[in-house]
Amino acid sequence: MSEINIPIKQLPLEQLPKESKRSIKISSGEYHQRWRLIKDTLAHYGVVAGGLGVIVAIVLIFFYLLYVVYPLFISANAEPVSEYAVPEQALGNTLLLEVEEQNEVGARFTDSGQVVFFEAATGKTLLTQAVAIPEGAHITSFAQGSPINEGAVIYGLSDGRAVIVKHQYKVTYPNNVRVITPSLKYPLGEQPLVLDNSGAALEKIAVKVGENATTIVVKTADTPQGGGKIRLISFQKEQSLFADEAALTRTDSVLEQSAAGIAGILIDKEEANLYLISNDGQLGFFDIGDKSRPSLRQQQNVVDAGQKITSVAFLNSGLSLMIGDSSGLVAQWSMVKDKLNRPAMQKIRSFKVSDKAVVAINAEQRRKGFMTTDADGVVGIYHSTAEREMIKERVSDALPTAAVLSPRANALLVQSVDGKMHFWHVDNEHPEVSIKSLWQKVWYESYPKPAYTWQSSSANSDFEPKYSLTPLVFGTLKAAFYAMLVAMPLALMGAIYTAYFMAPQMRQYVKPSIEIMGALPTVILGFLAGLWLAPFMEEHLAGLFAMLMIVPVGVVLFAFAWSFVPKVIADNLSEGWDAAILVPVILLSGWFAFKVSVPLETFLFHGTLRDWFKTELGIGYDQRNAMVVGVAMGFAVIPTIFSIAEDAIFSVPKHLTVGSLALGATPWQTMVRVVLLTASPGIFSAVMIGFGRAVGETMIVLMATGNTPVMDLSVFQGLRTLAANIAVEMPESEVDSTHYRVLFLAALVLFMFTFVFNTLAEVIRQRLREKYSSL
């Protein structure tokens, strides 16, 4: 009898033999087991890859920030480019050296009235031009006007006349090759100006040439008719409607100051202040705003006893004088307001640049730096605000006779007494940054005292950048403190009640509702805080303080009244729903606080609370202040702290709470001594994450604080945080500039602060977990 083979797959499952059914089930179980292992493996490697990706991303961010910030702390250096003989040395001794902006063309003004233009790198003569010195007169004095956007010099002559000349450079690009053509220009004409009608020689002279006015101050030599005088001459251009050329209006005056012993004369850029330097170390400070009536403001000694003034120069802005003496000290004297609000010269810092006399000081044209040359031929470059010595090099073995920094401060040209010219390249990109300028108080120009200040830019090109990070760090911590002051009590108390006391049905609505608050865009919160909350709090300041007292009192009174409610009614309220009936009580108490605050404010303070703070306590009130930030940012931080803390408390094992209650502890005792201790690692994590959220917040503090970088603990004053400062100023900063890199330094500080703080928080959390894990 033949066997009939029927494929198993063609039979229904119920008709299969038991052995076949068992094998199919085993095969299906193995399949599902393999698939589970594959998914577990994929999940494992996915989690590992994600974690490593996060770590790599953080490390890359750190190193990128470090890469951008590092150039701030690279030391400046200078290196020689070339050395050559002084161009056209036979034309006379050098009175002044100049270099144009591209460091390609140099100029040498000589005591014979010749100007020699030459290639700065090679010394090749490009042009020699004679200044229009009249016959029969010789040069007795020489001075440079402000080199910034002016380039004017003045020659004082032996017959009481003077010639003003400007050196200028025309840049062209024939065949795409840059060509710089130097030339001379006479802003007041080639005809010499008669400054002293008696014909006395001009021994000392100073000039400032403006667009519409020119101011000249001279010291005349003694004459048979009398001693020398200090004369002030001003030329004002007046444009006529019917003439092509402007007419010059002249004003003459004589200072009531002895000319004897005057060693130097300086005029500030605004042509409003005059400084006379005496051989005995005296500085005379004159107001020449009214050119017809100059007046003495201050006379004082500016060097130590036994020392002499050896060199003087204006710092870039014209607000400070750098005064070098015979001991090698350079002091910065700046104009500040005295106790009577009058301008006066004040010594704000000093630099010990050498043990020898400082023979020359040259200020940078665009920054607050300056170059010194001492009697040993050592050249040093310094930055006044940062109080840093950038470079100190011996340029020549011979004594320097003239030196100049290029307009961009990236090259220097030095002539030595041995007839050599030395051309050096200077690499000094970020002199404004130092530990002192970033973190300590700095005495800025025109400030009455040292201060922590952040002010990175100004409309004035002479502006002194202020890069102190201290007020930004202070503002960051201040904003986070007030936000946590609002958020922590509300979030933690709410989490405790929701997780432990609230009815489960009510918790299902409350917890998701609060967590949804965390999804609100912070830009919306900042917008509402700046445009609605800040004016509201300003108008109802007394009501806010009244609410802090009336709402708790209202809740306590309601609880007291509830104790007298009949037991039948009280028992109808399900356990855990107590908070629901408190909501209208809190709302009514808040409404009552705002209503009663107006008459109370008028009765107690005879006006508004803001005015009382100002008049009685001297506390000002800014509309956008730390209190507004505390409320707005606290609202943003509450969901984060609440959600994590509530989960931690709710996750405490039930056997712990049940065991505590079974042993006779009350619910509050159980909460305080069992639940909170067990959940403390999670609660601590919630607080730390909330604090990190507050520290890194940008948009709320940007829109609700006024963004003022002030250091004031008052809750009624504004602030500026690190994150908000980066958001505001980064789009305006020039790439790779000092400002740009300091902003990245602020980002690095914020990064390191959060990293270190979170690391410490994790260490503390782990110790708390180990300590209370045995409960």
Side-chain angles (χ1 to χ4, degrees), residues 211-230:
E211 185 177 352
N212 297 313
T214 298
T215 301
I216 304 172
V217 178
V218 298
K219 172 199 171 186
T220 62
D222 295 342
T223 63
Q225 291 77 21
K229 296 180 179 180
I230 306 295

Side-chain angles (χ1 to χ4, degrees), residues 295-469:
S295 59
L296 178 66
R297 280 181 172 173
Q298 186 181 9
Q299 183 86 27
Q300 68 181 51
N301 190 30
V302 292
V303 295
D304 295 335
Q307 305 298 332
K308 293 183 178 180
I309 297 176
T310 55
S311 56
V312 182
F314 275 117
L315 208 55
N316 173 23
S317 63
L319 297 175
S320 294
L321 284 174
M322 307 305 296
I323 301 177
D325 63 24
S326 53
S327 68
L329 191 72
V330 175
Q332 181 179 352
W333 289 77
S334 184
M335 188 189 305
V336 299
K337 296 293 182 66
D338 61 14
K339 295 180 180 179
L340 301 177
N341 203 32
R342 297 175 303 186
M345 297 301 291
Q346 172 74 39
K347 180 180 177 180
I348 62 176
R349 62 177 60 89
S350 60
F351 300 83
K352 182 63 176 177
V353 302
S354 175
D355 293 327
K356 303 293 183 178
V358 179
V359 298
I361 299 176
N362 300 86
E364 291 189 20
Q365 296 186 18
R366 301 177 182 179
R367 301 182 300 203
K368 300 299 178 180
F370 61 96
M371 180 177 73
T372 64
T373 307
D374 68 8
D376 271 350
V378 177
V379 172
I381 297 179
Y382 302 82
H383 194 273
S384 62
T385 306
E387 299 188 28
R388 291 181 64 188
E389 178 185 277
M390 311 304 303
I391 296 171
K392 198 167 188 179
E393 295 281 353
R394 182 179 295 277
V395 175
S396 171
D397 294 330
L399 177 66
T401 58
V404 65
L405 265 174
S406 68
R408 296 182 181 178
N410 57 358
L412 61 89
L413 192 63
V414 178
Q415 179 181 337
S416 54
V417 73
D418 59 357
K420 297 292 185 180
M421 196 76 77
H422 308 269
F423 184 60
W424 284 52
H425 171 72
V426 177
D427 184 9
N428 184 21
E429 290 294 325
H430 309 290
E432 304 94 338
V433 177
S434 67
I435 297 299
K436 180 176 179 62
S437 65
L438 290 174
W439 300 109
Q440 300 177 21
K441 286 186 176 182
V442 177
W443 199 337
Y444 299 102
E445 290 180 315
S446 300
Y447 276 48
K449 59 182 180 180
Y452 297 109
T453 306
W454 172 275
Q455 188 182 1
S456 58
S457 60
S458 172
N460 190 345
S461 60
D462 299 333
F463 170 71
E464 181 178 22
K466 304 168 182 66
Y467 292 130
S468 177
L469 295 180

Side-chain angles (χ1 to χ4, degrees), residues 9 37 58 139 150 197 209 211 243 350 403 416 489 519 554 618 659 679 691 712:
K9 292 182 180 179
L37 289 174
I58 292 175
I139 300 170
E150 184 178 322
N197 293 325
V209 179
E211 185 177 352
S350 60
S416 54
F691 183 76
D712 195 324

Side-chain angles (χ1 to χ4, degrees), residues 598-616:
V598 176
L600 278 177
E601 187 178 32
T602 304
F603 175 74
L604 295 176
F605 304 108
H606 306 288
T608 65
L609 184 58
R610 299 190 311 276
D611 295 336
W612 185 82
F613 276 132
K614 181 68 175 178
T615 56
E616 298 296 328

Side-chain angles (χ1 to χ4, degrees), residues 5-324:
N5 295 325
I6 301 175
I8 294 178
K9 292 182 180 179
Q10 295 180 4
L11 295 177
L13 183 63
E14 60 273 8
Q15 297 181 11
L16 292 175
K18 291 183 179 180
E19 292 78 7
S20 300
K21 291 180 182 180
R22 191 178 301 112
S23 64
I24 291 175
K25 290 181 180 179
I26 293 173
S27 300
S28 176
E30 289 177 353
Y31 170 78
H32 288 296
Q33 182 68 19
R34 287 195 192 123
W35 179 238
R36 186 181 298 113
L37 289 174
I38 292 173
K39 290 191 290 185
D40 288 346
T41 304
L42 290 175
H44 169 74
Y45 285 111
V47 171
V48 171
L52 291 176
V54 171
I55 295 174
V56 170
I58 292 175
V59 171
L60 289 177
I61 290 172
F62 172 75
F63 279 105
Y64 179 71
L65 293 175
L66 204 61
Y67 167 76
V68 177
V69 169
Y70 176 69
L72 290 176
F73 303 99
I74 296 177
S75 300
N77 66 83
E79 55 186 17
V81 176
S82 59
E83 178 182 320
Y84 47 85
V86 174
E88 308 295 337
Q89 189 170 6
L91 294 180
N93 297 324
T94 301
L95 297 175
L96 175 69
L97 280 179
E98 285 285 10
V99 178
E100 54 80 36
E101 188 173 15
Q102 306 299 333
N103 302 333
E104 295 182 12
V105 179
R108 188 171 75 91
F109 293 79
T110 71
D111 58 2
S112 64
Q114 298 287 329
V115 182
V116 180
F117 296 100
F118 57 93
E119 290 184 359
T122 64
K124 178 183 176 182
T125 302
L126 300 174
L127 175 68
T128 300
Q129 194 167 349
V131 178
I133 305 296
E135 293 185 7
H138 61 272
I139 300 170
T140 56
S141 57
F142 176 87
Q144 179 187 21
S146 174
I148 306 173
N149 300 324
E150 184 178 322
V153 298
I154 187 169
Y155 292 85
L157 306 178
S158 57
D159 58 0
R161 293 186 293 176
V163 176
I164 300 177
V165 63
K166 277 187 174 183
H167 56 102
Q168 54 189 16
Y169 305 89
K170 181 180 179 181
V171 182
T172 56
Y173 291 88
N175 299 322
N176 292 326
V177 177
R178 182 171 60 202
V179 176
I180 301 175
T181 306
S183 62
L184 295 181
K185 177 184 177 182
Y186 297 86
L188 298 184
E190 292 191 26
Q191 193 68 25
L193 303 171
V194 178
L195 304 183
D196 187 88
N197 293 325
S198 66
L202 307 181
E203 293 185 342
K204 297 292 180 181
I205 195 167
V207 67
K208 278 294 175 289
V209 179
E211 185 177 352
N212 297 313
T214 298
T215 301
I216 304 172
V217 178
V218 298
K219 172 199 171 186
T220 62
D222 295 342
T223 63
Q225 291 77 21
K229 296 180 179 180
I230 306 295
R231 294 186 178 275
L232 170 64
I233 304 97
S234 174
F235 296 93
Q236 186 75 31
K237 290 183 180 180
E238 294 184 357
Q239 187 68 45
S240 173
L241 293 176
F242 306 101
D244 294 334
E245 295 185 359
L248 291 179
T249 300
R250 175 169 173 160
T251 302
D252 288 79
S253 59
V254 178
L255 275 68
E256 297 179 0
Q257 172 82 11
S258 172
I262 297 298
I265 304 173
L266 295 99
I267 307 169
D268 74 344
K269 292 175 61 175
E270 303 298 327
E271 303 178 34
N273 299 300
L274 169 67
Y275 304 90
L276 299 182
I277 311 297
S278 302
N279 289 324
D280 58 358
Q282 291 288 317
L283 172 65
F285 174 30
F286 291 82
D287 179 4
I288 58 172
D290 183 354
K291 300 299 187 292
S292 62
R293 298 178 60 186
S295 59
L296 178 66
R297 280 181 172 173
Q298 186 181 9
Q299 183 86 27
Q300 68 181 51
N301 190 30
V302 292
V303 295
D304 295 335
Q307 305 298 332
K308 293 183 178 180
I309 297 176
T310 55
S311 56
V312 182
F314 275 117
L315 208 55
N316 173 23
S317 63
L319 297 175
S320 294
L321 284 174
M322 307 305 296
I323 301 177

